[in-house]
Amino acid sequence: MLTELKGLPMLARYSLTLYRRRNGTVASARCFESCATVVEDKLCREVSKQFFEENMEVFFEEGTPSVCRYGGGFFGFLIPFTLSGADFCLVGDGVREETIDLWQLASLARSGDDAFSLLPYVESLCTASYEEVEEVAEQVRRRIELYRLPARHHERAVVAPPRATVGDEALQAVSQALEKLDRVTTVTACVAICCDTIVTAFQVARIAIALPDSDRKSFTATGVWGLPDELGTLSAESLQLFVAPDKVKKTVLWDGRMRAALPELRATVCTVFPLKAQGELLGFLALFDTDIQPNDALIISMLCGAMAGKLSTIDKDAARSKENALSERLMSLTDTLLQIDSKDLLYESILKIASELIDATQGSIMLIDKDGVGMQIVFTLGMTLNIARCLQLKVGKGIAGMVAKTGQPLLVNDVEKDSRVAMTNRLRFKSKSLICIPLKLKNKVIGVLNLSDKKNLRPFTHSDLMLLTSFANLASLMIERTEVLEESVRFEQLSVTDPLTGLYNRRFLKSRLEEELNRSARQGLNLTVIFIDLDFFKSYNDLCGHLAGDEALKLTADIIKESLREMDIVARYGGEEFCAVLPGTSKAEAMIVAERIRAEIENKRFPGESDIPLRRLTASLGIASFPEDGRTFNDLVHASDVALYEAKARGRNRIVAARTSSQPGEVLHEAPAPRAATQSNLAKTLDFNAYLEASLQSKG
């Protein structure tokens, strides 16, 4: 028996050991002894031996197959059974889970070795999931049941002509079918392999199969062998007639209730095998007008179980492929919609894309007013927009109004017969089928997408509904994005402050600095610009989070404001960069202010700064003054930016002031050079200490 089991494809990578209860022993620990073994891997055998032998009596008393994970991630199964009056336990091992547990592996290391010396050896083992090992154990249990069944009687009541008892040829045919199932990738091939095997090995006269439709609420019955292709559709309730416990895997009469469920099928007797995978009923396989004996039924059931598992895998693979294809398509549509910055163009594009997705020829987009009572048609397809905009629509009234109120999508095959709408079809609609999808943002309905009149005039399907629902989520986000962009433009035109820090924004800074430059030129006053940039702020933001980053920017803004006079101007220039304008202030005086800002930032305790590499958040500062470093906004900003760049290059957390090579009072007309070239062509810089030393010497 052990050798025959080992020859099965599903057990090719397993080691098998058969234990038998010692003669004369009672139920106690270690009352089983090994009587036969086929060992592929000695280490796995030793580990499973320590695990299973200690509690084999407990496993036997449970009476069902047990799948266990033990050691460094190894899997094994144990199947208890009684044969010819003797108690046995079959242990299978030799596979591991995909992830190797090094800590547990260390405890298994052989004398003189460590866990890492065993790693290449363990990695060479075949991997399996718990569910896969569980399925193998169940298949082996069914195979062992064959050894326990009594010999078949030669005389029996038959409908089809009698045939010889199932022998090695039938078992071999089923084993080959199981091996072929592992390689197929389509439902048609899976069903063909199983049904061909049943017809050949068991001489079955007629076969039908019932599989779920796309909505999973109904099952289509199809003739596979000796029957018409189309046998009808079963509801989930009527399916239970065929898979009731008193009928499955038994040859029973084809009764009146079965005939009523599938009137196209004519038969005398049938044997039904449920198709179940991981607890889910996928349909059934039915054999007609053939007397299936218990031994045959057991083998066919095993084959049907393997087929169900394969059908489930194929279905999941197809669902994943469909999701990936839909995701890729939605990503492509996202890129298209992101290029649109006008609401009207966006509405037009959304409606056009939605109609193309499900082949609709008419449609509209309705948005709910701010008061939440009325709805407005913002774009149409197949009807005049100006006329549609004049319609008075309310939430809760009509089909679209009902969808807007409930937030639930609506698929109608016939508006005149569907009790949810029950209305006379309008003349402008060629068909009576329509789809209404709510447009939602954070569970709030903002509008409705309506589509009707499929090109082929057939009703819309559940697949159309699911596809349109996925796109509607994207459309809602794009509508919100466009509205936010337009709103932000309006606010930007009105606002002069940065919403996070409360400082002036960059546009206002340019306007005020140009005013101060004109005033300084007229009155012969100095003016200094200080640029402050937080060091390694991106790393801080990534490590500490955006909330901490926002808090750091606000704290920095407070430090800068507290270090300046009321007449000074401070703005958030962008990101983590700030700009301070000090009217009537020389460069030497501004250096003192800059040092105060730098020191305050360095000493400030920012949230989470201990987690960043330097364990503190610092700032680099660049200074440029009017008139020696520039007379215009662009010149001063550029000079201070170059100085700031030099401060970064010299190690950060320092102040650098720009010093031009031009004569005092000379106006610079040269266009700003790239940063890499400015160090030699536009400005020479020096740090804070060097500048103070030079300044003191000139005064000394």
Side-chain angles (χ1 to χ4, degrees):
M1 180 179 71
L2 202 62
T3 303
E4 182 180 339
L5 289 174
K6 181 60 180 173
L8 297 176
M10 62 183 173
L11 292 176
R13 53 184 177 170
Y14 286 83
S15 298
L16 301 177
T17 303
L18 187 64
Y19 290 86
R20 179 173 180 172
R21 189 188 297 277
R22 293 188 182 93
N23 293 331
T25 61
V26 295
S28 63
R30 297 190 179 279
C31 60
F32 284 83
E33 61 181 354
S34 173
C35 60
T37 183
V38 180
V39 178
E40 296 293 328
D41 188 276
K42 294 183 178 180
L43 174 62
C44 294
R45 178 80 283 277
E46 287 299 319
V47 176
S48 69
K49 179 179 179 181
Q50 297 175 20
F51 181 81
F52 284 112
E53 288 188 3
E54 192 71 28
N55 301 292
M56 193 158 289
E57 180 62 35
V58 176
F59 287 112
F60 185 85
E61 289 298 325
E62 289 181 357
T64 58
S66 300
V67 177
C68 303
R69 178 193 179 280
Y70 49 83
F74 299 123
F75 277 129
F77 65 80
L78 184 146
I79 301 173
F81 63 96
T82 300
L83 185 63
S84 300
D87 296 336
F88 295 92
C89 286
L90 177 65
V91 173
D93 54 61
V95 296
R96 64 171 178 84
E97 63 181 353
E98 186 173 352
T99 303
I100 299 174
D101 191 331
L102 285 175
W103 290 103
Q104 292 188 16
L105 189 60
S107 64
L108 303 174
R110 298 168 178 168
S111 177
D113 293 334
D114 56 24
F116 290 99
S117 68
L118 295 178
L119 191 57
Y121 170 78
V122 176
E123 284 183 331
S124 66
L125 297 177
C126 294
T127 60
S129 66
Y130 182 91
E131 292 75 15
E132 290 172 341
V133 179
E134 192 174 41
E135 179 64 22
V136 169
E138 176 60 22
Q139 297 292 347
V140 174
R141 182 196 67 77
R142 294 175 181 175
R143 178 56 63 93
I144 292 175
E145 287 293 326
L146 294 176
Y147 296 99
R148 302 175 57 193
L149 293 174
R152 186 183 312 168
H153 296 290
H154 292 289
E155 295 182 0
R156 56 183 179 175
V158 295
V159 176
R163 62 180 180 82
T165 59
V166 175
D168 292 340
E169 292 183 1
L171 291 175
Q172 185 177 3
V174 172
S175 297
Q176 291 174 352
L178 294 176
E179 188 174 352
K180 291 177 183 178
L181 282 178
D182 290 337
R183 299 193 294 267
V184 300
T185 58
T186 65
V187 173
T188 302
C190 180
V191 173
I193 289 173
C194 293
C195 292
D196 288 348
T197 302
I198 292 173
V199 170
T200 303
F202 303 96
Q203 290 83 55
V204 174
R206 298 193 292 171
I207 302 176
I209 191 170
L211 294 176
D213 296 330
S214 58
D215 59 3
R216 298 283 178 175
K217 296 180 180 179
S218 58
F219 296 78
T220 297
T222 306
V224 182
W225 184 265
L227 291 170
D229 291 340
E230 298 181 2
L231 298 176
T233 302
L234 298 170
S235 65
E237 292 76 17
S238 59
L239 185 75
Q240 298 301 319
L241 291 173
F242 299 87
V243 295
D246 60 333
K247 293 180 180 179
V248 297
K249 305 177 187 178
K250 302 174 184 177
T251 301
V252 298
L253 292 175
W254 182 250
D255 60 28
R257 297 179 65 190
M258 291 178 173
R259 284 195 298 271
L262 293 176
E264 299 297 323
L265 202 159
R266 299 288 186 268
T268 304
V269 296
C270 70
T271 310
V272 178
F273 297 89
L275 300 176
K276 282 187 176 182
Q278 298 179 353
E280 181 183 6
L281 181 62
L282 304 179
F284 64 76
L285 187 75
L287 314 182
F288 297 94
D289 298 339
T290 303
D291 185 12
I292 305 298
Q293 293 301 301
N295 286 7
D296 295 349
L298 183 63
I299 299 174
I300 295 173
S301 177
M302 180 175 64
L303 184 60
C304 289
M307 179 172 68
K310 190 62 180 182
L311 290 174
S312 177
T313 300
I314 292 172
D315 183 64
K316 291 177 181 178
D317 290 343
R320 281 193 293 268
S321 298
K322 188 175 181 180
E323 289 176 1
N324 292 337
L326 178 59
S327 297
E328 292 177 1
R329 192 172 185 182
L330 291 179
M331 287 296 295
S332 176
L333 294 176
T334 301
D335 293 338
T336 300
L337 296 178
L338 284 174
Q339 305 301 318
I340 302 172
D341 54 8
S342 165
K343 283 198 298 187
D344 289 339
L345 289 177
L346 178 65
Y347 298 148
E348 180 181 5
S349 297
I350 288 174
L351 196 53
K352 180 180 179 181
I353 291 171
S355 63
E356 290 175 350
L357 285 174
I358 61 172
D359 289 333
T361 58
Q362 294 201 69
S364 65
I365 296 178
M366 301 176 179
L367 295 183
I368 300 176
D369 297 335
K370 291 184 178 180
D371 59 10
V373 176
M375 296 193 302
Q376 180 184 6
I377 298 177
V378 296
F379 213 86
T380 61
L381 175 67
M383 64 185 79
T384 304
L385 179 59
N386 291 334
I387 296 177
R389 283 178 171 171
C390 297
L391 298 176
Q392 298 295 321
L393 304 168
K394 291 187 177 181
V395 175
K397 301 294 183 180
I399 297 176
M402 181 172 62
V403 171
K405 182 178 180 180
T406 63
Q408 298 298 318
L410 183 66
L411 169 61
V412 177
N413 289 328
D414 190 324
V415 294
E416 295 181 345
K417 296 181 180 179
D418 195 312
S419 60
R420 296 172 297 177
V421 293
M423 57 178 286
T424 303
N425 189 40
R426 298 176 185 174
L427 293 177
R428 70 171 183 270
F429 296 120
K430 298 177 182 178
S431 74
K432 301 177 183 180
S433 179
L434 57 86
I435 289 182
C436 294
I437 303 291
L439 300 173
K440 293 182 178 181
L441 284 175
K442 298 178 180 178
N443 296 323
K444 178 183 178 182
V445 180
I446 64 171
V448 179
L449 175 62
N450 308 292
L451 290 168
S452 62
D453 287 354
K454 210 174 180 70
K455 287 182 180 179
N456 57 14
L457 298 184
R458 297 185 65 179
F460 292 107
T461 65
H462 182 75
S463 296
D464 293 332
L465 181 66
M466 293 297 99
L467 180 58
L468 202 59
T469 300
S470 297
F471 175 70
N473 295 332
L474 172 62
S476 301
L477 292 174
M478 293 298 105
I479 291 173
E480 181 193 39
R481 173 184 174 274
T482 303
E483 291 183 346
V484 168
L485 287 176
E486 291 189 354
E487 193 75 11
S488 66
V489 170
R490 289 194 293 269
F491 276 114
E492 187 177 2
Q493 293 170 347
L494 299 174
S495 175
V496 297
T497 59
D498 171 58
L500 177 64
T501 62
L503 302 178
Y504 290 121
N505 58 27
R506 182 172 180 173
R507 184 179 60 256
F508 181 80
L509 171 71
K510 185 176 186 299
S511 175
R512 286 288 289 115
L513 180 52
E514 288 176 344
E515 292 176 5
E516 290 297 332
L517 284 172
N518 291 333
R519 187 171 70 87
S520 298
R522 290 195 308 269
Q523 299 179 10
L525 301 175
N526 294 112
L527 180 145
T528 301
V529 174
I530 304 175
F531 266 71
I532 306 104
D533 188 274
L534 293 174
D535 298 326
F536 300 112
F537 184 75
K538 184 179 184 303
S539 298
Y540 174 86
N541 212 28
D542 291 342
L543 291 172
C544 301
H546 293 289
L547 293 178
D550 290 347
E551 184 65 21
L553 292 175
K554 289 189 284 188
L555 291 174
T556 302
D558 293 337
I559 290 173
I560 298 172
K561 285 189 294 185
E562 292 172 1
S563 302
L564 302 179
R565 303 167 298 182
E566 289 186 1
M567 63 181 293
D568 297 329
I569 305 162
V570 58
R572 184 181 177 191
Y573 199 73
E576 66 272 19
E577 193 171 20
F578 301 83
C579 179
V581 179
L582 283 60
T585 305
S586 66
K587 188 178 293 183
E589 293 169 330
M591 291 290 281
I592 298 173
V593 177
E595 172 58 14
R596 184 161 60 241
I597 294 173
R598 187 206 64 77
E600 286 291 331
I601 293 175
E602 182 182 26
N603 294 328
K604 185 68 176 179
R605 291 293 171 260
F606 292 92
E609 68 177 356
S610 59
D611 295 331
I612 62 178
L614 297 180
R615 299 190 179 278
R616 61 179 180 176
L617 196 60
T618 60
S620 299
L621 295 86
I623 296 178
S625 295
F626 168 90
E628 61 264 36
D629 299 321
R631 291 178 172 272
T632 67
F633 173 87
N634 288 337
D635 289 339
L636 278 179
V637 168
H638 184 64
S640 57
D641 193 43
V642 171
L644 177 61
Y645 177 83
E646 181 67 11
K648 295 281 188 182
R650 292 189 179 188
R652 295 177 171 80
N653 191 24
R654 65 188 63 219
I655 305 165
V656 172
R659 175 178 293 175
T660 67
S661 58
S662 306
Q663 295 297 323
E666 179 182 352
V667 179
L668 298 176
H669 297 288
E670 182 181 357
R675 271 187 167 175
T678 53
Q679 298 180 29
S680 59
N681 297 336
L682 183 63
K684 296 179 181 179
T685 56
L686 65 163
D687 62 18
F688 176 73
N689 293 331
Y691 184 86
L692 284 184
E693 182 179 352
S695 179
L696 291 173
Q697 288 178 356
S698 64
K699 294 180 180 179

